[in-house]
Amino acid sequence: GAGVSQSPRYKVAKRGQDVALRCDPISGHVSLFWYQQALGQGPEFLTYFQNEAQLDKSGLPSDRFFAERPEGSVSTLKIQRTQQEDSAVYLCASSLTGDSEAFFGQGTRLTVV
Amino acid sequence: QKEVEQNSGPLSVPEGAIASLNCTYSDRVSQSFFWYRQYSGKSPELIMSIYSNGDKEDGRFTAQLNKASQYVSLLIRDSQPSDSATYLCAAFDNTDKLIFGTGTRLQVFP
């Protein structure tokens, strides 16, 4: 596609509900990154992939967070048993290679009530 | 020290002035640096990348990289109110993770 696409744009979840956030990167981009951004803060790294390999997941806040990219293209970030502190904007970015320019999707704003 | 550090601001400059945004980095980052602009409620937008020592100019924007002092800066000439946004500095660390600073809020007043 022309750009990184994320869906849904907005998600309201009841506490305890599971959610799945989707990221469709730019076609051919090898690297894919997930970030969590709280209001007034910079994007905080969650995890990243090169192709289908998850090379680093050190930023995932708890074992309720899980990400996958099974075919090296679309990625899904799953949050189980959502908590209020999970409320944030979740950003996805992709880059052509491991250290080249990265481009962001529109983000998914998750609100847990 | 965090990998990438920025002053949170806000930095206030009058319209037409030069805005100077700074970022310092640690030894744990590689030599690829990026500046993103983020408007309120929007996602970050890449505006500059710099890979080698010195200056890189693109329109009203100039990125400067000083490896000896471990800082990278962004100059915005002829600042406009539409430049008011948060500017994020980013770099890849030694494991190819893209790390961001906390961002500097820029306010350009008429």
Side-chain angles (χ1 to χ4, degrees):
Chain A
V4 180
S5 179
Q6 290 187 247
S7 61
R9 291 291 310 279
Y10 304 93
K11 176 70 180 178
V12 178
K14 291 185 177 178
R15 193 170 55 183
Q17 188 179 353
D18 297 350
V19 297
L21 313 180
R22 176 188 168 104
C23 174
D24 198 341
I26 294 171
S27 179
H29 277 199
V30 168
S31 296
L32 185 147
F33 306 86
W34 282 101
Y35 296 88
Q36 181 189 63
Q37 188 173 31
L39 195 63
Q41 301 295 315
E44 289 289 335
F45 172 83
L46 294 177
T47 184
Y48 91 100
F49 295 83
Q50 279 192 16
N51 296 306
E52 69 278 3
Q54 188 175 22
L55 297 188
D56 192 315
K57 55 181 181 179
S58 62
L60 296 177
S62 76
D63 58 8
R64 296 185 295 104
F65 286 70
F66 171 77
E68 61 182 3
R69 193 185 184 197
E71 297 179 0
S73 178
V74 171
S75 177
T76 304
L77 176 67
K78 298 178 179 178
I79 309 173
Q80 297 177 322
R81 305 181 303 282
T82 52
Q83 304 294 315
Q84 282 192 318
E85 62 262 27
D86 300 334
S87 296
V89 175
Y90 291 85
L91 296 166
C92 174
S94 71
S95 67
L96 185 60
T97 62
D99 64 352
S100 61
E101 297 172 336
F103 301 91
F104 281 86
Q106 317 95 308
T108 294
R109 181 178 297 278
L110 173 66
T111 304
V112 181
V113 297
Chain B
Q1 182 191 7
K2 295 186 69 174
E3 285 97 340
V4 178
E5 295 198 65
Q6 296 180 255
N7 186 318
S8 62
L11 173 66
S12 292
V13 300
E15 185 174 356
I18 296 175
S20 177
L21 302 150
N22 299 307
C23 172
T24 58
Y25 61 90
S26 74
D27 292 336
R28 296 190 299 278
V29 305
S30 68
Q31 301 302 301
S32 303
F33 299 91
F34 308 92
W35 283 99
Y36 289 80
R37 177 176 61 198
Q38 187 173 27
Y39 291 113
S40 180
K42 302 293 186 183
S43 61
E45 172 194 10
L46 179 69
I47 52 173
M48 290 286 283
S49 58
I50 186 164
Y51 301 95
S52 54
N53 236 8
D55 295 1
K56 179 181 177 183
E57 188 174 316
D58 184 1
R60 295 186 296 112
F61 298 101
T62 299
Q64 299 175 319
L65 175 58
N66 184 320
K67 294 182 181 180
S69 300
Q70 293 185 283
Y71 80 79
V72 57
S73 61
L74 179 70
L75 301 178
I76 306 175
R77 288 181 299 282
D78 188 24
S79 296
Q80 301 297 309
S82 58
D83 294 326
S84 298
T86 296
Y87 289 81
L88 298 161
C89 174
F92 282 98
D93 73 4
N94 295 335
T95 65
D96 286 345
K97 244 167 37 183
L98 184 60
I99 303 296
F100 284 81
T102 52
T104 299
R105 191 157 58 94
L106 173 66
Q107 294 175 335
V108 181
F109 55 92

